[in-house]
């Protein structure tokens, strides 16, 4: 029929036109990158930044024409599943990604327990993954060869640096409260001997489970101990709980450290002015001029998501992507070649240079941030500081 | 009319052949699904030894699974694997024997929530123990590959099938069923109910302990809250309720149904899976208390009637 | 902190009273529902959760403060109770069947309901814990610091307990309730409208649970899974205080709140779950048929 043939011709013409006009990457098969993420569950809030960064990166890369795979540009496609904040679910998902979905590359899930639990699986299938938001001394001891951690916030180094920083600020006594989750537990284990060595007396210490709902009795006891330093080794929800209840009760210690949480915009929003003066983990800032792309990353993130990126997890996630990108550009998708490159090369990232020895990044120093006037500043070490430490004052 | 017993035998034969052949297809992913099926079968059948036969519904069966996992994990690479797995079964049995007497004095719904509370209690105690040891999670490197784990699980599933059928047909099983119908009456008739209940409880604990141990090898990661996850207990009950019956066939249906459902949804829409689980639980309790097996059997009866 | 310091701390006392009061209003619903219908509603804690999310939604979307929305939420949850009764429970209760099996199976039904409710909320609101800021100003009386929302919660909880107790004492319904709890068949013979008693129990019980949810949402983070531990606590209260014994329930709730708060302060927060489940397991084992079996017959 006439109308039918007209439509067919029109359709053909259109597709030819589109084909001629679309950028070259439409012809190349996509690079499928798989990962699992805590979209739901207790860690969903904490994973959000990483999800944001992964998505932002994917769009940036595709806008540039695709991922450079040893010279050829190919579009990036994600294959993602929710691990419901359960590490064993995450392991199952990665097995599925490798054996069933047969993806080309893998990205890390959020968080220490998830990345740790991944190590044996990656070893079994010989699949390299650049880790990010996790750090544990344990993996170093287990000789994992297929995962690397660019973070410098490794518990043993952290304990040493934190103690140094406290000594420099004349801290003689401390109260230490810690979440029993892996990462914070490890920090506690390494912190104890460091404090002893530095002669800092621990006047009160306790541990608590991640499901804690009320910290009033803990906070009261911390207050009564009147320590120079309060060290709260916590995860985001307990960090917020602590700060709120501490400001309720009023703790006057000048040095207050809260491990995970204060580097996010959400924390500062939930806690308000009481957050000022809190010291936390972090080794990145958009304001160091020698870190290429740092300010651009910050600006792009804020433009896209309308709030500041987490200074700890967001840049780490981005760094891991940059490392992967540079490695793939150099050697393509072959797993063994990737493993070789990632283990030996030095990479340029938004946090400066990164090089791995074993599983660890040996260039980035262990650093701390402080919230000053609602903004995050690097206050330790001197070499990358953007501001000086200020004792916390009780509002 | 077909002899029902031979129909059964054919069914089991087919299943045996299928599961024996599966790993040889060299598809790791599907071996994994088969492994899941065998695991749930072993768990649900063992659970049935207690809960279907006596009517004492255990909502905390994961406690045995978790204990078994822990044993294998802490002895990893220090004792031969077969010994570790045997030990996990033994440890679960011992635990069941120790808590069984006081726990089984409690009846009806109180028993149900007691088992739940007990599992949670053991979970939190273990968490505290690990915390005091400075450990938050344990990793297992160099574990056997999935095919080896599969064979062990196949053995456990076969064992649970045989055990359940053996109990079902024995005098012991008869006694259990009588106390399920009316405990006081059974007692007056001379059934040693306390002893029988305890034996059922212990028997129902052994294989789940070993299953937990084997699955620790599969996940290579141990953390008390995951190993003692209440969802495992819940899944067992849903599978048993859907399957119906108190013999080895019921769990087959329930497990197959749920593994298929889970396979559809676990990766893409896990929430949807749980919602369906909740709906199924409600629907089966209210409308189909005898499970799918009950539906099949009533159909068979109807057909049998017509044939006559 | 030493033993004496813990005992004399007004801060810890405040926390204990607050915890106890919340447990009291959560448990009163379970007490009445189980007492009258012998149905173990393990989804009771999820009603609290619904109350929390309702308050959250009303506050963040419509700007209605919890102090006002608690009435709306109470009615909303009460309606859920009424709907549950009319649609599901009335049929289940009408079917005779032997008691222990009915009870065990109904427990599974409520468990299914719990799974359903929790995961529906997850799909609507995600499983991420939520919180909002309300009445955060801190009031101080010498050593004691209380945020406004905690103080309000304590007052509301106490007031609600008194109101319910008074209602049951002076209203004829209270008498009817006791009659149904004690002996349903006899109550029916004497002319008590048993179905109405069931309905009103559910309505009051769920309404109170909803209010508990509102109060909790003001004070802490909440998630779709917050219900479980509250249900367990409510059971402990019901068992310890005596089934159907509302006043006993209030006392037991305060005792449980004290055990939990002081126990944690004296040992460590790690012990909280161990304490709760430990008490739970012991209570069930030592009182195997629940306190009620000694006093009341069915």
């Amino acid at each position: 029929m006439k109308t039918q043939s007209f439509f067919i011709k029109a359709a053909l013409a259109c597709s030819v036109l589109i084909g001629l006009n679309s950028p070259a990457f439409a012809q190349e098969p996509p690079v499928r990158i798989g990962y699992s993420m805590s979209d739901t569950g207790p860690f969903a809030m904490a994973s959000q930044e990483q999800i944001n960064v992964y998505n932002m990166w994917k769009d940036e890369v595709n806008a540039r024409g695709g991922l450079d795979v040893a010279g050829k540009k190919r579009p990036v496609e994600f294959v993602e599943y929710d691990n419901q904040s359960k590490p064993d679910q995450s392991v199952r998902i990665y097995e599925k990604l490798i054996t069933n979905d047969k993806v080309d590359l893998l990205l890390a899930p959020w968080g220490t327990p998830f990345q740790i639990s991944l190590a044996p699986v990656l070893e079994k299938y010989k699949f390299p993954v650049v880790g990010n938001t996790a750090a544990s001394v344990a993996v170093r001891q287990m000789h994992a060869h297929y995962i690397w951690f660019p973070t410098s916030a490794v518990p043993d180094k952290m304990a040493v640096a934190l103690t140094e920083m406290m000594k420099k600020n004349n801290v003689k006594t401390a109260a230490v409260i810690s979440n029993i989750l892996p990462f914070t537990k490890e920090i506690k284990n390494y912190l104890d001997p460091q404090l002893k060595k530095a002669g800092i007396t621990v006047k009160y210490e306790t541990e608590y489970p991640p499901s804690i709902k009320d910290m009033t009795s803990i906070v009261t006891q911390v207050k009564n101990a009147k320590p120079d330093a309060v060290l709260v080794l916590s995860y985001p929800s307990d960090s917020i709980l602590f700060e709120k209840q501490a400001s309720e009760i009023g703790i006057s210690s000048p040095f207050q450290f809260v491990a995970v949480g204060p580097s996010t915009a959400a924390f500062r929003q939930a806690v308000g002015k009481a957050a000022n003066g809190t010291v936390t983990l972090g080794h990145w800032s958009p304001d160091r001029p020698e870190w290429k792309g740092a300010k651009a990353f910050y600006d792009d993130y804020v433009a896209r998501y309308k709030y500041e990126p987490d200074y700890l997890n967001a840049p780490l996630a981005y760094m891991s992507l940059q490392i992967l990108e540079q490695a793939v550009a150099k050697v393509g998708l072959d797993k063994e070649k990737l493993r070789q490159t990632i283990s030996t090369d030095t990479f340029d990232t938004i946090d400066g240079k990164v090089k791995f020895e074993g599983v660890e990044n040996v260039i980035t120093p262990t650093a701390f941030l402080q919230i000053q006037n609602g903004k995050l500043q690097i206050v330790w070490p001197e070499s990358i500081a953007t501001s000086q430490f200020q004792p916390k004052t009780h509002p | 009319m077909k002899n029902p017993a031979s129909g059964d035998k054919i069914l089991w034969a087919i299943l045996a052949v299928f599961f024996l052949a599966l790993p040889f297809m060299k598809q790791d992913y599907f071996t994994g699904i088969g492994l899941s099926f065998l695991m749930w079968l072993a768990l649900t059948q063992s659970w049935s030894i207690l809960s279907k036969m006596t009517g004492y519904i255990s909502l905390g069966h994961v406690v045995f699974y978790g204990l078994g996992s822990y044993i294998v994990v802490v002895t990893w690479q220090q004792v031969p694997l077969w010994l570790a797995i045997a030990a996990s079964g033994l440890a679960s049995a011992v635990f069941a024997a120790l808590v069984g007497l006081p726990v089984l004095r409690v009846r009806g719904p109180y028993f149900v929530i007691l088992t739940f509370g007990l599992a949670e209690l053991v979970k939190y105690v273990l968490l505290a123990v690990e915390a005091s040891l400075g450990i938050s999670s344990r990793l297992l490197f160099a574990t056997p590959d999935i095919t080896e784990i599969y064979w062990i699980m196949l053995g456990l599933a076969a064992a649970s099938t045989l055990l359940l059928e053996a109990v079902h047909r024995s005098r012991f099983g008869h006694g259990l069923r009588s106390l399920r119908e009316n405990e006081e009456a059974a007692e007056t008739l001379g059934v040693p109910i306390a002893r029988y209940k305890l034996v059922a409880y212990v028997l129902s604990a052994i294989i789940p302990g070993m299953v937990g141990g084997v699955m620790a090898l599969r996940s290579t990661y141990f953390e008390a809250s995951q190993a003692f996850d209440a969802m495992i207990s819940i899944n067992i009950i849903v599978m048993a309720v859907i399957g119906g019956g108190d013999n080895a066939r019921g769990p087959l249906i329930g497990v197959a149904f749920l593994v298929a459902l889970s396979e559809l949804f676990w990766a893409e829409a896990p929430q949807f899976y749980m919602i369906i689980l909740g709906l199924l639980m409600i629907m089966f309790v209210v409308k189909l208390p005898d499970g799918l097996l009950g539906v099949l059997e009533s159909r068979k009866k109807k057909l049998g009637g017509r044939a006559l | 902190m030493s033993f004496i310091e813990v005992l004399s701390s007004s801060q810890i006392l405040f926390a204990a009273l607050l915890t106890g009061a919340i447990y009291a209003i959560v448990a009163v619903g379970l007490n009445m529902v189980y007492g009258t219908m012998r149905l173990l509603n393990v989804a009771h804690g999820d009603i609290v959760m619904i109350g929390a999310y309702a308050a959250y939604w009303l506050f963040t979307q419509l700007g209605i403060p919890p102090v006002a929305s608690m009435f709306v939420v109470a009615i909303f949850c009460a309606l859920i109770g009424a709907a549950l009764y009319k649609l599901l429970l009335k049929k289940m209760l009408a079917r005779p069947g032997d008691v222990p099996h009915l009870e065990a199976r109904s427990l599974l039904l409520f468990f299914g309901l719990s799974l359903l409710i929790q995961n529906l909320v997850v799909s609507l609101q995600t499983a991420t814990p939520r919180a909002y800021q309300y009445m955060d100003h801190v009031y101080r009386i010498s050593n004691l610091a209380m945020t406004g929302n905690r103080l309000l919660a304590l007052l509301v909880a106490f007031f609600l307990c008194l109101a319910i107790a008074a209602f049951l004492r002076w209203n004829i319904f209270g008498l009817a309730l006791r009659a149904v709890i004690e002996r349903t068949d006899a109550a029916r013979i004497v002319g008590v409208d048993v179905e109405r008693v069931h309905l009103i129990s559910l309505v009051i019980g769920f309404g109170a649970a909803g209010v508990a949810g509102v109060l909790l949402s003001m004070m802490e983070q909440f998630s779709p899974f917050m219900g479980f531990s509250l249900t367990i606590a409510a059971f402990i209260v019901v068992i310890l205080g005596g089934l159907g014994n509302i006043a006993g329930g209030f006392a037991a709730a305060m005792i449980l709140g004290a055990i939990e708060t002081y126990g944690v302060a004296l040992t460590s927060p790690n012990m909280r779950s161990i304490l709760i489940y430990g008490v739970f397991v012991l209570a069930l084992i030592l009182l195997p048929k629940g306190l009620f079996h000694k006093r009341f017959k069915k």
Side-chain angles (χ1 to χ4, degrees), chain A residues 164-350:
Chain A
E164 268 180 53
M165 186 179 173
M166 286 195 288
K167 278 200 80 171
K168 188 133 186 280
N169 287 289
N170 293 316
V171 166
K172 299 278 187 310
T173 57
V176 183
I177 68 177
S178 54
N179 188 323
I180 56 175
L181 281 174
F183 183 54
T184 45
K185 180 113 183 93
E186 249 186 83
I187 304 177
K188 171 82 169 48
N189 291 343
Y190 284 100
L191 195 55
D192 284 342
Q194 289 299 324
L195 293 176
K196 209 178 260 176
K197 223 169 47 168
I200 298 178
T201 323
V202 178
K203 296 184 77 180
Y204 172 72
E205 66 182 341
T206 188
E207 292 183 316
Y208 59 86
S211 53
I212 194 163
K213 289 280 168 59
D214 178 24
M215 287 173 125
T216 30
S217 58
I218 297 181
V219 178
T220 310
Q221 294 175 68
V222 166
K223 177 181 174 156
N224 291 345
K226 293 201 191 16
D228 296 330
V230 179
L231 309 176
V232 184
L233 310 177
S234 54
Y235 271 70
S237 4
D238 22 304
S239 299
I240 294 182
L241 182 62
F242 173 81
E243 284 283 26
K244 287 177 94 165
Q245 298 197 318
S247 70
E248 222 183 278
I249 294 188
I251 295 192
S252 54
S253 309
F255 190 102
Q256 294 189 28
F257 171 79
V258 175
V260 184
S263 52
T264 64
F267 176 89
R268 279 170 278 154
Q269 196 187 38
V271 174
K273 282 216 210 80
N276 280 327
T278 300
V279 177
T280 187
L281 290 170
H283 46 75
W284 179 79
S285 163
D287 302 322
R288 293 294 305 188
E290 72 273 21
W291 293 343
K292 258 189 328 182
K295 192 80 176 55
F297 169 76
Y298 178 89
D299 293 335
D300 288 343
Y301 191 100
V302 172
R304 189 175 157 121
Y305 294 110
K306 312 278 183 281
Y307 55 84
E308 288 193 326
D310 169 15
Y311 275 45
L312 181 58
N313 289 337
L316 268 176
Y318 198 75
M319 286 157 70
S320 70
L321 292 166
Q322 286 185 304
I323 293 171
L324 186 64
E325 208 182 327
Q326 290 167 33
V328 169
K330 187 167 167 197
V331 299
L333 297 175
D334 177 83
K335 315 264 186 305
E336 270 316 300
K337 291 205 191 126
L338 279 173
R339 191 192 66 78
Q340 265 278 65
T341 310
I342 300 175
S343 325
T344 50
D345 286 11
T346 305
F347 298 92
D348 277 308
T349 71
I350 56 170

Side-chain angles (χ1 to χ4, degrees), chain A residues 40 80-82 84-89 91-93 95-96 99-100 102 113-114 116-121 123-125 138-139 142-144 180-183 185-186 189 207 209 211, chain B residues 27-30 36 124 127-128 130-146 149 217-221 223 226-227 229 231 262-263 266-268 270-271 274:
Chain A
T40 60
E80 186 257 341
Y81 298 106
D82 179 12
Q84 300 180 283
S85 299
K86 296 187 185 149
D88 58 347
Q89 182 82 328
V91 171
R92 277 184 76 187
I93 290 173
E95 265 192 0
K96 177 180 187 334
T99 60
N100 189 239
K102 300 205 177 33
F114 298 86
I116 288 185
S117 60
L118 202 49
V121 176
E123 203 81 11
K124 198 188 277 201
Y125 290 100
V139 193
M142 272 178 212
H143 307 294
I180 56 175
L181 281 174
F183 183 54
K185 180 113 183 93
E186 249 186 83
N189 291 343
E207 292 183 316
S211 53
Chain B
Q27 289 278 15
D28 273 359
Y29 188 64
F30 291 106
S36 262
Y124 285 111
L127 269 171
E130 291 273 88
S132 69
L133 291 173
I135 296 172
S136 48
S137 68
R138 295 173 186 257
L139 287 182
L140 300 177
F141 279 86
T143 52
D145 75 41
I146 196 161
I149 297 177
L217 300 171
R218 162 92 158 112
S219 66
T220 68
Y221 172 79
E223 206 241 307
Q226 312 249 276
D229 190 358
M231 274 310 292
S262 156
E263 200 30 52
W266 76 265
E268 330 251 342
Q271 241 54 58
M274 305 260 257

Side-chain angles (χ1 to χ4, degrees), chain B residues 20 81 84 130 176 223 251 300 307:
Chain B
L20 281 167
L81 188 57
E130 291 273 88
L176 292 178
E223 206 241 307
K300 264 198 225 157

Side-chain angles (χ1 to χ4, degrees), chain C residues 167-169 171-180 192:
Chain C
F167 174 72
L168 293 177
R169 182 98 198 285
N171 188 302
I172 195 86
F173 171 75
L175 206 57
L177 181 78
R178 289 220 310 271
V180 172
V192 172

Side-chain angles (χ1 to χ4, degrees), chain C residues 255-278:
Chain C
I255 294 176
L256 184 63
I259 294 179
E260 193 189 310
T261 312
Y262 284 103
V264 162
L266 288 169
T267 55
S268 93
N270 251 347
M271 292 295 293
R272 181 184 169 266
S273 297
I274 297 182
L275 272 171
I276 297 244
Y277 283 103

